[in-house]
Amino acid sequence: MKEVLAVRDMQVRYPTSGGLAALMAGKRATSIDVVCGVSFAVAPGDTLAIVGESGSGKTTLAMGLSGLVPVSGGDVVLDGNAVAMNSKGFLQPDRRRISVMLQDPVGSLSPRMTVQRLLAEPFRIDPELADDPDAAALRLLDRVGLSREFAGRYPHQLSGGQARRVGLARALAQKPGLLIADEPTAGLDVSIQGEMLNLLAEVQRDMGLGIIMITHNLNIVRHAATDMAIMYLGRFIEQGLPQRIFERPRHPYTAALLAANPSVNPATAIDRIQLLGEVPSLFERPRGCEFHTRCPRAQDVCLERFPQRQGVANTQVWNCVNPVD
Amino acid sequence: MKNFLRELSRDTPGMIGFVIVIIVLALSVFASVIAPADPLEIDVYNRLASPSWQHWLGTDQLGRDIFSRVLYGGRVALKVALISISVALLCGLLLGMIAGFGPSWLDRILVVCFDTMRSFPTVMFALAIMTLTGPSLNTVIAVIIITSIPVYARVVRTQTLAVRNLDFILAERAMGASTLRILRDHILPNISAPLLILASMDVPAVVGMEAGLSFLGLGVGPPTASWGSILNDGYSYLRNSPWPIIAGGIPLILVTLGFTFLGESMRDILDPKLRGKGALNQ
């Protein structure tokens, strides 16, 4: 099937405003690469899960795709058309095809607006979408399984799960082709997490959505994703089909990440891989493979250049010269 | 509004302030009905009279009824306060939101302008303007507006900066909301509470400023009654009669107390609610 979104070598670079002192110290770079050279494609009905530590650039990637931070390089193809990018990121008509649910469910709803107004808002921004914004808002409320009595509530009167549903409804209003869900289950208890994932799956099926899901929760990846990518310091160091990666992770970082996932079964022998040290600063990106500072399998060549991509495309690929076997 | 009144009734000083404000407003608005005499009518046989049934607060050096003059003076005071504060609030809102939400170079230019304006002592500034244009009520209003705009603009700017990068603004931007929509529908409602408080606390300051300028002869010209000019006239005849000073001073004290109590009470009521709503402190 044709992809909703295909991205090649996407870069997000933040300028660092160090001021005069930083200029005189002369050490720091004038910009930092938060996302560097990321490639992926999402087809309708696909769910790409992006996992990685805090600070690995997952959220920045999402913000770059939704036009909230400037994308500094790469090719983006949306619905088969190359997207013209200016210094501000995407152009407005393209942006509507990509909706985003931000991380903080309550905080991403305007606090002085009722749910009704919040849901009518996208139709007021874009009057072509619906003739009657208020009726459309109520339809959205039904769509995400909230009863009409929520229409009069304010965001602070909603629970995390309810606020998530309202956020999802808002994201669906513009009939996107791709939904970016940043931590859609964070802060929800397990039963509500399940409901949220089921709702996402239902909406995905009905609307033929492609979903990019950013998460820390590996169990959710296993349950919901059709593709996964592991991000480290702004790069995808391993990506492919979840069942393949869970079964046989090749990159040492992936292996460590998966080994850290707690198991429900206490009898399972846990074979943790301990990583030493901290995630390196983006200001001082290590030479070569960024992971060599913490990698138990690092070799001399790892210090020299970033490793070539290996593996089978669309199944499992990794960037490591000395993969786990 | 109902909630607000219920909260207010629990706070004694706030309620006192509210009642004083209502009384002062009513007396000023209906001055022409309530006033027992024409505030400009001169009666030289009854100069500097003590309070009597005919003249409740006595008469001034020209025999004018002080009670009537105080009522009409209240009109001047509140007119100055309402006009200048609302204009300054609107301009400050506009400039502050531009500074807080616009590009950083514009922000810097505006902040320098605000700080420059604030660095003039108000009275010196007023004197300079009066020297150029001559004293009048409009000049008083203009001076107060010009000196208050930076105060409001700075508060608005700080509030806007605090709100502009919160998640809900990002979410609106991701949906493609225009800058105007974001400012009007999402930033303004979230910064307005502290502004209302500031504006209400500013009323006594402005009333005092008008009285001060009139006292210095820089405000409204004779024969118009203003609390400042009543004080000024009374000051010259203090040895003959204390009543003009008392009559001119009491309303000033009442207005100051009333609006300050009300403002402080509003702050107490609105702030914890804001925190409860989680609007700004997340």
Side-chain angles (χ1 to χ4, degrees):
Chain A
M1 204 190 252
K2 195 79 198 129
E3 290 120 9
V4 193
L5 177 77
V7 170
R8 223 181 62 224
D9 268 344
M10 178 175 151
Q11 305 252 351
V12 177
R13 180 172 289 167
Y14 284 146
T16 52
S17 48
L20 197 60
L23 207 68
M24 280 157 71
K27 267 193 170 177
R28 295 207 152 172
T30 49
S31 65
I32 52 170
D33 292 315
V34 186
V35 174
C36 58
V38 161
S39 307
F40 59 88
V42 183
D46 274 5
T47 302
L48 167 66
I50 300 177
V51 288
E53 282 167 283
S54 305
S56 58
K58 304 183 303 277
T59 298
T60 305
L61 175 65
M63 300 229 278
L65 289 174
S66 50
L68 291 175
V69 298
V71 176
S72 40
D75 299 316
V76 176
V77 178
L78 191 60
D79 297 320
N81 304 315
V83 174
M85 264 185 292
N86 57 15
S87 57
K88 284 182 179 168
F90 291 97
L91 302 172
Q92 173 69 16
D94 301 311
R95 193 192 271 182
R96 282 185 206 146
R97 291 289 294 156
I98 302 180
S99 277
V100 62
M101 282 168 73
L102 293 174
Q103 208 162 26
D104 178 355
V106 178
S108 53
L109 302 175
S110 198
R112 297 299 178 95
M113 285 192 168
T114 60
V115 169
Q116 167 83 43
R117 271 193 75 193
L118 283 166
L119 293 180
E121 178 90 350
F123 303 109
R124 295 194 207 283
I125 291 173
D126 195 352
E128 290 165 26
L129 287 173
D131 296 332
D132 181 358
D134 289 317
L138 289 177
R139 279 201 298 279
L140 279 179
L141 205 57
D142 295 339
R143 184 71 202 78
V144 294
L146 286 174
S147 66
R148 297 265 164 123
E149 67 188 88
F150 285 100
R153 298 220 188 153
Y154 286 91
H156 72 278
Q157 298 168 319
L158 301 173
S159 71
Q162 290 156 356
R164 272 269 168 249
R165 283 170 191 260
V166 174
L168 175 63
R170 270 160 67 84
L172 296 178
Q174 294 177 326
K175 300 216 164 53
L178 179 76
L179 174 70
I180 302 173
D182 194 352
E183 301 275 4
T185 57
L188 305 181
D189 56 43
V190 181
S191 61
I192 312 283
Q193 284 187 4
E195 282 178 25
M196 193 67 215
L197 290 175
N198 290 340
L199 179 63
L200 272 174
E202 192 186 309
V203 168
Q204 178 172 38
R205 206 171 45 239
D206 292 355
M207 299 179 66
L209 273 179
I211 295 182
I212 294 180
M213 190 188 289
I214 292 167
T215 183
H216 281 112
N217 191 332
L218 290 168
N219 298 322
I220 285 172
V221 177
R222 210 191 299 251
H223 172 82
T226 55
D227 280 300
M228 76 185 285
I230 292 94
M231 206 166 181
Y232 188 77
L233 277 191
R235 288 189 205 270
F236 285 177
I237 46 112
E238 182 157 9
Q239 68 193 99
L241 303 173
Q243 60 268 34
R244 293 291 291 264
I245 294 179
F246 276 104
E247 193 184 307
R248 192 177 173 213
R250 302 305 302 270
H251 197 285
Y253 178 67
T254 316
L257 202 65
L258 297 187
N261 194 31
S263 164
V264 198
N265 183 358
T268 317
I270 302 175
D271 196 8
R272 294 255 152 85
I273 303 169
Q274 199 176 0
L275 294 182
L276 299 171
E278 306 232 339
V279 186
S281 159
L282 285 168
F283 286 104
E284 285 145 26
R285 190 177 270 281
R287 278 171 52 83
C289 173
E290 282 92 353
F291 190 55
H292 80 250
T293 53
R294 301 164 76 196
C295 184
R297 304 172 64 86
Q299 300 175 330
D300 288 346
V301 66
C302 299
L303 278 70
E304 279 156 29
R305 58 173 190 274
F306 189 74
Q308 292 276 313
R309 169 148 292 197
Q310 299 178 38
V312 185
N314 299 326
T315 312
Q316 187 177 9
V317 291
W318 59 89
N319 295 78
C320 185
V321 290
N322 186 18
V324 184
D325 42 34
Chain B
M1 192 62 203
K2 234 178 199 171
N3 271 340
F4 179 74
L5 284 181
R6 190 172 348 114
E7 290 280 331
L8 195 64
S9 64
R10 285 198 207 121
D11 182 37
T12 317
M15 206 56 212
I16 294 174
F18 185 67
V19 170
I20 292 177
V21 168
I22 294 288
I23 291 176
V24 170
L25 278 177
L27 287 179
S28 307
V29 170
F30 299 109
S32 50
V33 185
I34 301 167
D38 182 344
L40 303 182
E41 193 184 271
I42 295 172
D43 179 5
V44 281
Y45 296 109
N46 269 321
R47 299 172 67 222
L48 299 168
S50 293
S52 63
W53 282 113
Q54 200 191 347
H55 301 291
W56 291 3
L57 290 173
T59 58
D60 67 2
Q61 78 280 10
L62 296 173
R64 296 176 294 197
D65 181 51
I66 294 180
F67 182 60
S68 305
R69 286 182 70 74
V70 166
L71 292 181
Y72 278 88
R75 273 191 172 180
V76 172
L78 292 177
K79 181 178 156 194
V80 171
L82 293 182
I83 293 178
S84 55
I85 288 177
S86 45
V87 173
L89 187 64
L90 282 178
C91 296
L93 204 57
L94 199 67
L95 289 174
M97 291 214 288
I98 290 173
F101 203 74
S104 60
W105 59 267
L106 193 58
D107 181 34
R108 272 182 221 155
I109 292 175
L110 285 170
V111 167
V112 167
C113 293
F114 300 156
D115 288 347
T116 313
M117 288 305 305
R118 289 301 299 154
S119 64
F120 287 119
T122 308
V123 174
M124 291 299 290
F125 182 68
L127 276 170
I129 298 284
M130 302 301 170
T131 317
L132 286 174
T133 63
S136 79
L137 194 58
N138 291 338
T139 325
V140 172
I141 293 176
V143 166
I144 294 173
I145 289 173
I146 294 171
T147 52
S148 319
I149 285 176
V151 181
Y152 288 106
R154 286 167 56 126
V155 173
V156 172
R157 172 180 170 270
T158 319
Q159 295 283 330
T160 308
L161 283 177
V163 174
R164 67 173 282 182
N165 283 329
L166 292 183
D167 272 1
F168 66 91
I169 301 292
L170 282 184
E172 294 300 324
R173 277 177 50 209
M175 286 203 313
S178 62
T179 306
L180 179 69
R181 175 178 289 275
I182 291 177
L183 286 176
R184 186 193 59 204
D185 291 356
H186 300 284
I187 291 192
L188 185 58
N190 288 300
I191 62 173
S192 52
L195 279 180
L196 286 177
I197 296 159
L198 185 66
S200 120
M201 308 262 268
D202 226 17
V203 172
V206 168
V207 169
M209 211 190 282
E210 183 272 324
L213 290 173
S214 297
F215 180 81
L216 294 173
L218 301 171
V220 294
T224 315
S226 133
W227 293 341
S229 59
I230 294 172
L231 280 175
N232 188 15
D233 293 346
Y235 177 66
S236 320
Y237 294 90
L238 190 57
R239 283 159 184 266
N240 307 77
S241 163
W243 293 105
I245 288 281
I246 295 170
I250 284 177
L252 264 179
I253 295 169
L254 280 181
V255 165
T256 307
L257 281 179
F259 277 97
T260 309
F261 281 165
L262 183 64
E264 281 180 353
S265 179
M266 267 166 73
R267 185 187 58 204
D268 294 347
I269 293 169
L270 291 176
D271 268 5
K273 230 184 212 167
L274 260 175
R275 257 178 257 130
K277 277 185 177 163
L280 298 172
N281 296 46
Q282 283 191 346

